[in-house]
Amino acid sequence: MLDVESSVSPDIRLANGTDLRQETEDGAAHSVDYIALSYCWGHGDFTRLTKANQQQFQEKIPLASLGQTIQDAVLATRRLGFRYLWVDALCILQDSLDDWKIESITMCDVYNNAVCTIAAVSSWNASETMFVKQNPLAMAPCLLSAGGRQWYAQSISNTVALSWQRDITMSRWNTRGWCYQEMALSKIIIFFGSSQIHASTEQAWDNLEVEKINAASYLSRVWWDHVVEYSPRMLTKASDKMVAIAGIAEYMWQCGLKSHYIAGLWEDTLPRDLLWYVSAGIRKKRPDGPRGPSWSWASVDG
C-alpha cells in the first residue's frame, strides 16, 4: 500500500504491514481505509516496484518520478481525504514471479475491500494524465447561473447515457481484461472520463443473495455473464487469461457457489459448462503457448 499523506512532503512512500494496522479505543486492531487505482499500463516505461528499490521506496518515492496517471491518482486520493492508495505497479514486486503469484490471487480482496476505486478511463497508458481539459457546458447535466439563480440544464436527448458510452464504454480501459475484473469487484468506482467524472455504486454482486431458490444455478448464470463480458477483452500477456478473472471466481465462491473451480468451469455444472462456444464474427485461432486445457473457454479468445 502507498502512504500518500502530504503533511511534510509531496512525495509518498511504500507502507509496511505495521503501518496498515490501526488500534481502536478498546485496543482492537482494524485495517485502514484505502483507495485502489484501475488504469491501463500501456507499453511505455514508468517507475515500478522491484527488489532493488523496495527498501528505498519504504523511505520515499519521489512523486515526480511516477507515471502521470499515478501522480494524478495520488492527488485525487488526497483530495478525497484518504491516506492510503493501492497501485499494482508499486505494491507488487514486478521482478518477482513468486510475489506476483501471491498478490495476483488476492485481487478479490484488494478491490472489494477498497473504499472506492479510481478508474483512469481517459488515459491510454500510465504516462498520460487522467485530468483532461473539460468543457463545463458538455456536462450532463450542467449547472447554469441566470437571473441570480442556479439551474441544472440538460438536453432532451439522453446525454447522460451518451456521455457514459463515450467516456467509459468506448474507452481503451474498457477493452482490458484486468480492468474488467477490477470494475466487477469494486463497490464504488469514480471514473475520470474524457468529458466528465462519473460515479457508479452499482456493484455487480448487489443481488447475488436475492434468489435463494436453486442458488447454485443462479450463481452459475451470473458467472457466465461475467465470462461473456470478460473473454473478448485484451491482455498484454495471453497467459494471464485465467489469472485475470480468478478474483471474480473467488468472490463467486464466497457468495455461495460452493463447487470446485476447474480452469474457468465449475464441477457441479460441468456438463453444461462444456457447451461454451465462441460468438460468431469474432472467432480467432488458439494463442501460442499453454493457457488452459482445450476444453476450457480460456483456451481461446472471443
Side-chain angles (χ1 to χ4, degrees):
M1 203 80 71
L2 300 176
D3 184 347
V4 303
E5 189 176 38
S6 60
S7 58
V8 179
S9 167
D11 297 326
I12 63 176
R13 69 181 184 89
L14 182 66
N16 57 41
T18 304
D19 297 327
L20 301 179
R21 304 295 294 180
Q22 294 182 344
E23 289 191 358
T24 59
E25 293 181 357
D26 60 1
H30 67 93
S31 300
V32 299
D33 292 333
Y34 66 93
I35 288 178
L37 175 64
S38 178
Y39 65 111
C40 295
W41 277 42
H43 297 289
D45 188 25
F46 61 97
T47 301
R48 307 172 191 187
L49 178 66
T50 64
K51 296 175 183 177
N53 60 26
Q54 183 178 12
Q55 184 173 356
Q56 174 191 344
F57 279 11
Q58 289 178 342
E59 298 175 2
K60 184 177 73 171
I61 306 175
L63 186 62
S65 70
L66 304 178
Q68 190 61 52
T69 300
I70 301 175
Q71 291 187 45
D72 293 346
V74 169
L75 177 57
T77 300
R78 290 169 173 170
R79 292 290 179 86
L80 289 169
F82 292 93
R83 177 174 177 176
Y84 294 102
L85 171 67
W86 194 91
V87 180
D88 55 1
L90 296 172
C91 296
I92 302 175
L93 286 169
Q94 299 302 312
D95 58 352
S96 170
L97 182 59
D98 290 338
D99 191 55
W100 184 84
K101 287 180 178 179
I102 294 172
E103 296 295 335
S104 63
I105 62 175
T106 66
M107 292 302 100
C108 170
D109 295 327
V110 168
Y111 284 91
N112 191 250
N113 291 332
V115 174
C116 75
T117 296
I118 293 174
V121 296
S122 63
S123 304
W124 277 61
N125 56 62
S127 65
E128 295 184 2
T129 180
M130 68 181 192
F131 299 144
V132 298
K133 186 176 181 180
Q134 298 170 334
N135 177 8
L137 296 179
M139 302 302 174
C142 63
L143 182 63
L144 302 176
S145 296
R149 301 181 63 184
Q150 291 185 325
W151 307 83
Y152 281 103
Q154 183 167 321
S155 168
I156 59 174
S157 63
N158 194 353
T159 51
V160 175
L162 290 175
S163 177
W164 179 278
Q165 182 179 24
R166 179 176 62 250
D167 285 357
I168 301 171
T169 307
M170 299 177 65
S171 68
R172 182 176 186 271
W173 175 89
N174 199 44
T175 68
R176 310 304 299 176
W178 281 103
C179 293
Y180 178 78
Q181 176 171 254
E182 292 157 7
M183 175 179 63
L185 293 172
S186 298
K187 297 174 182 175
I188 300 173
I189 310 178
I190 302 175
F191 300 93
F192 285 82
S194 58
S195 67
Q196 68 182 79
I197 297 174
H198 307 260
S200 172
T201 59
E202 297 181 3
Q203 192 184 18
W205 319 98
D206 286 347
N207 297 316
L208 280 188
E209 297 184 2
V210 172
E211 186 175 327
K212 295 296 184 181
I213 301 176
N214 202 5
S217 177
Y218 172 67
L219 291 170
S220 177
R221 293 198 304 271
V222 173
W223 166 253
W224 280 103
D225 286 343
H226 283 293
V227 170
V228 170
E229 288 292 328
Y230 167 78
S231 58
R233 285 171 162 78
M234 295 182 291
L235 295 161
T236 301
K237 296 180 180 179
S239 57
D240 286 351
K241 190 74 172 186
M242 292 298 304
V243 184
I245 197 174
I248 296 178
E250 170 65 19
Y251 200 85
M252 294 295 299
W253 192 88
Q254 293 179 13
C255 289
L257 190 53
K258 304 299 184 182
S259 177
H260 288 101
Y261 182 63
I262 310 172
L265 289 73
W266 299 88
E267 183 179 26
D268 290 351
T269 53
L270 190 58
R272 185 179 64 191
D273 289 356
L274 288 170
L275 298 176
W276 62 269
Y277 60 91
V278 178
S279 299
I282 59 173
R283 187 179 300 275
K284 299 180 181 179
K285 70 174 184 178
R286 295 185 186 274
D288 297 330
R291 201 172 68 177
S294 60
W295 42 263
S296 170
W297 58 266
S299 65
V300 297
D301 292 319

